Amino acid sequence: MISFINRFSVGAVLAAVAVVGSAFGQVTSTRSNNDTRTQDIVRAQDAVNDVLVRSGVFFKEGLLAYEDRKLSDAAEKFNRSVEVFLTSTLNIQREGKLQGCYNQLIETVYRIEFPIDSQLPQVRNLSGTCGWNIDNTLADKVASLAKSSLIRPNATPSTSTVANGQGPSIPDQSQIGFNSQEFVPAIGDELATIQLTEEEQQVDANPVAQAQYQYIQYAVANKSLGFSFQVHPMIQQYINYYRGRGRQTMEVGLYRSGMFMRMARRIFKEEGIPENVAWLGQVESAWKPSALSWAAASGLWQFIPGTGARYGLQRTAYVDERNSFEEATRASARYLKFLYNRYGNWELGIAAYNCGEGNVDRAIRRAGVSNFWAAYPYLPQETRNYVPNILATILIANNPGQYGFGHIRPAAPLEYDRVRVPASTNLSILAQASDTTVQYLRYLNPHLRSNVTPPTPYIINVPARKGDEVVALFRRIPAAKINNTNLANSATGESWQNLSNRTGVSVADLMAANPGMAVPRGKVFVPVAGNNVQATSYSRPTNAAASAATAGVKVVKAKAGDTVQKLAERNNANPTEVAKFNGLLPNSVLGAGREIKIPSR
């Protein structure tokens, strides 16, 4: 069915309403024409109502799952509620009722997932805007549960907790976010409780430590690290710690650094910051983009919301750029540059990065001199540990063999291309265009809140060496139609008729969606028709003989209307495993008679 909204603008609909209204009480020669327009208006309103109703069903299911603390299920239902809008053929931004509901839906889901005191989820308001029949008791229960999971940026760890050696209290991770962003505790949280042992504090009495300490003095004097700092025995004491109790932490950090350090060095150099200062990321997060501290600092560089916003990191219902790779790295470099210029040395600049300029300013006033080691007694315990820890990490990372870490081989750099995509692009079409999965795109873009990009053109990371192909594909189709389109990989020599048989879309519609393409070649656009379309992944038909011959595999045929999930559940199989085994997604739509392989358990 071709939606009315594709043939008439909203303005035309309103004009038709006016004509119909003025026709009452009159006998005219255009009655049949008015009747036709009335029918078109009714169909358009029905299409709008259909989107709202189906989205509301998924949203309510998400609320019920959230109430039962089934957060993964809630995330799936909320995503499907949003995707009803995006996979419809209606122009959301031009249809006032849809626009208001959609925008409130995005904000409400975000506030359920990441509430703050001043902005709790307004489920009742959303229900009223969208015309959904959601019980007020359920709406209030969800708001209450969201409030109970608040992360308060101004919270401080209790003295008794730190004194007991248990570290600052970290919010229950099961209460933070959905499965779209699984936070892990930040390594920096451990710094507040590290107590160096007597053996670790030994420098002069330990010949190995003494030799290493002399190397530190030599390296600093020769400026071989690219910047200068004041040598202090505590730096060697932290090296002693990492060579013993902290060995595993250092090994993991050195390994994971391979994924991000090349990118960090490049950006720090571009911003005029010594490249080695980028090792701060290892102490902040152990190079984990999903790291979250007790103080709601997030990402590789552990920005709290206020500082992130100060350096241009967006935090909206669509993205939290504190968890991005390049944007957050550049913000970190600029903040460190500001701090260095403010204090004139890297020790105090790094200290302020950890505890804020206010704490460092007070410590300097009490010490009477702008020197980290003089201000040391007046700084928070975590910051006292933080600065020598980072300097120790820089020394180890620059000469791992000398400190017993020569066997560590850093992970391969995380490679990706960056492309600008149209507003509100669904990751499903982007995944098809870049020959990957939505899950991998989310991995490359941990700052995305859902499977939809922001409502403005936005730069997205895609798999390496796929950027040019994605750009070329997106240039072939108007931005307004991107989310109403899927892609099919055509085979050499395949005809439009064969492709039509595979996708269920007419030859005429396929050719219209791919102007100038005489025969299918490469990736082919497949227009989405109607309003009840799920994300579809197309692939070539399986070879029945080969499939049947595969040991331990059962081949079944799909029925009309089947998805991978429906077929798998009907055959008592795991939908995710079946989808992966056949190179599809769990919600991939299957044509009648399509053969699917079911792996045996």
Side-chain angles (χ1 to χ4, degrees):
M1 182 183 90
I2 301 176
S3 172
F4 167 77
I5 206 72
N6 286 337
R7 295 182 285 124
F8 291 85
S9 68
V10 173
V13 173
L14 295 176
V17 172
V19 170
V20 173
S22 64
F24 286 136
Q26 298 182 43
V27 177
T28 71
S29 60
T30 60
R31 179 176 177 182
S32 60
N33 187 46
N34 287 340
D35 288 345
T36 301
R37 292 189 177 185
T38 301
Q39 292 171 5
D40 286 338
I41 294 168
V42 170
R43 283 197 294 270
Q45 292 172 341
D46 287 345
V48 169
N49 291 335
D50 178 63
V51 169
L52 293 172
V53 169
R54 289 189 296 109
S55 177
V57 169
F58 286 126
F59 182 75
K60 186 173 182 179
E61 290 175 353
L63 294 179
L64 293 170
Y66 183 82
E67 181 185 29
D68 293 338
R69 311 312 289 151
K70 297 177 180 177
L71 301 187
S72 179
D73 291 345
E76 179 189 357
K77 297 300 183 183
F78 289 144
N79 275 340
R80 294 188 70 178
S81 179
V82 172
E83 287 173 357
V84 166
F85 285 89
L86 297 173
T87 57
S88 76
T89 56
L90 303 182
N91 189 326
I92 298 170
Q93 298 306 322
R94 292 183 64 182
E95 172 57 54
K97 193 170 183 180
L98 290 181
Q99 181 186 42
C101 181
Y102 174 76
N103 291 341
Q104 277 199 32
L105 173 62
I106 291 290
E107 180 66 20
T108 303
V109 171
Y110 176 53
R111 289 307 171 195
I112 292 174
E113 188 173 9
F114 298 102
I116 59 177
D117 277 314
S118 59
Q119 291 178 289
L120 292 174
Q122 302 296 318
V123 179
R124 286 195 185 196
N125 291 348
L126 173 67
S127 178
T129 299
C130 301
W132 294 340
N133 183 24
I134 295 175
D135 184 78
N136 286 339
T137 303
L138 175 60
D140 294 342
K141 177 68 177 298
V142 167
S144 177
L145 288 171
K147 186 175 183 178
S148 68
S149 65
L150 283 173
I151 303 173
R152 294 178 172 81
N154 294 326
T156 55
S158 65
T159 305
S160 60
T161 303
V162 175
N164 290 333
Q166 297 171 350
S169 62
I170 298 173
D172 180 359
Q173 301 306 309
S174 67
Q175 306 300 308
I176 302 173
F178 301 138
N179 61 353
S180 60
Q181 181 157 348
E182 296 175 352
F183 290 107
V184 295
I187 186 175
D189 286 338
E190 302 173 10
L191 294 178
T193 59
I194 290 179
Q195 296 289 335
L196 295 172
T197 65
E198 290 185 7
E199 183 179 358
E200 290 164 348
Q201 293 179 45
Q202 290 295 332
V203 175
D204 294 337
N206 184 328
V208 174
Q210 180 60 31
Q212 291 175 347
Y213 186 53
Q214 291 173 355
Y215 168 76
I216 297 175
Q217 295 171 317
Y218 173 81
V220 172
N222 285 275
K223 299 182 179 179
S224 59
L225 297 174
F227 71 105
S228 297
F229 55 87
Q230 185 177 345
V231 179
H232 190 279
M234 186 171 283
I235 301 171
Q236 180 60 43
Q237 290 171 8
Y238 270 95
I239 291 176
N240 295 343
Y241 165 77
Y242 279 123
R243 295 181 69 239
R245 285 189 300 154
R247 171 170 290 278
Q248 184 176 4
T249 299
M250 179 58 66
E251 288 178 342
V252 170
L254 290 176
Y255 171 76
R256 290 188 59 84
S257 71
M259 300 173 67
F260 300 104
M261 195 58 189
R262 187 171 70 180
M263 174 269 296
R265 284 185 179 278
R266 169 178 59 82
I267 290 176
F268 272 52
K269 183 178 181 179
E270 290 172 356
E271 295 295 333
I273 303 296
E275 295 176 32
N276 271 317
V277 176
W279 285 104
L280 174 146
Q282 178 156 319
V283 176
E284 284 287 355
S285 67
W287 304 110
K288 296 177 181 178
S290 57
L292 178 74
S293 79
W294 63 269
S298 187
L300 289 171
W301 306 97
Q302 291 293 283
F303 277 102
I304 60 173
T307 309
R310 178 174 154 194
Y311 284 88
L313 298 179
Q314 297 183 62
R315 188 166 179 259
T316 70
Y318 304 92
V319 295
D320 186 343
E321 290 181 341
R322 297 178 303 155
N323 297 104
S324 64
F325 300 154
E326 303 211 6
E327 288 78 10
T329 301
R330 194 168 299 280
S332 175
R334 289 174 177 173
Y335 184 33
L336 284 164
K337 187 173 186 177
F338 163 80
L339 294 172
Y340 175 77
N341 290 334
R342 178 181 178 121
Y343 296 109
N345 64 73
W346 282 111
E347 296 99 304
L348 286 175
I350 292 172
Y353 190 97
N354 175 254
C355 67
E357 299 100 292
N359 281 323
V360 171
D361 290 346
R362 284 189 291 273
I364 290 174
R365 285 197 297 270
R366 296 182 69 181
V369 60
S370 186
N371 178 284
F372 172 77
W373 297 107
Y376 179 90
Y378 311 112
L379 290 166
Q381 178 63 48
E382 179 182 335
T383 308
R384 297 182 208 172
N385 295 345
Y386 182 79
V387 174
N389 196 315
I390 288 175
L391 297 176
T393 297
I394 291 172
L395 287 157
I396 293 172
N398 276 270
N399 198 346
Q402 177 174 326
Y403 297 104
F405 295 95
H407 62 290
I408 302 298
R409 294 293 177 266
L414 187 60
E415 295 186 337
Y416 49 85
D417 291 345
R418 287 164 65 79
V419 299
R420 187 181 299 275
V421 299
S424 301
T425 297
N426 196 309
L427 295 191
S428 175
I429 185 68
L430 195 57
Q432 294 173 56
S434 55
D435 295 317
T436 188
T437 63
V438 170
Q439 289 80 1
Y440 188 63
L441 286 179
R442 294 296 297 275
Y443 173 75
L444 290 179
N445 298 275
H447 52 296
L448 292 181
R449 291 298 196 195
S450 68
N451 293 343
V452 182
T453 65
T456 56
Y458 196 76
I459 295 175
I460 293 293
N461 301 330
V462 299
R465 294 169 290 283
K466 289 293 181 180
D468 290 343
E469 186 175 351
V470 171
V471 170
L473 281 165
F474 274 48
R475 282 176 177 169
R476 283 170 44 197
I477 188 168
K481 293 185 178 181
I482 282 178
N483 287 323
N484 295 324
T485 303
N486 282 300
L487 290 172
N489 288 314
S490 62
T492 303
E494 189 169 25
S495 67
W496 286 115
Q497 184 59 57
N498 181 262
L499 193 63
S500 173
N501 295 340
R502 285 206 283 126
T503 62
V505 177
S506 71
V507 170
D509 286 345
L510 286 171
M511 295 184 71
N514 297 273
M517 191 180 289
V519 295
R521 63 177 183 273
K523 289 186 173 64
V524 176
F525 288 114
V526 180
V528 173
N531 297 310
N532 191 24
V533 178
Q534 299 183 57
T536 306
S537 175
Y538 299 102
S539 63
R540 299 188 65 187
T542 59
N543 184 304
S547 299
T550 305
V553 174
K554 180 173 68 172
V555 179
V556 298
K557 290 187 177 181
K559 299 178 182 179
D562 265 353
T563 63
V564 172
Q565 182 165 348
K566 288 181 182 178
L567 183 144
E569 290 173 348
R570 191 166 63 242
N571 289 273
N572 298 317
N574 184 301
T576 302
E577 292 179 3
V578 173
K580 185 176 181 181
F581 198 79
N582 289 272
L584 301 170
L585 297 173
N587 62 348
S588 293
V589 178
L590 305 174
R594 171 77 179 272
E595 292 180 335
I596 295 294
K597 292 174 285 187
I598 307 290
S600 59
R601 296 185 178 181

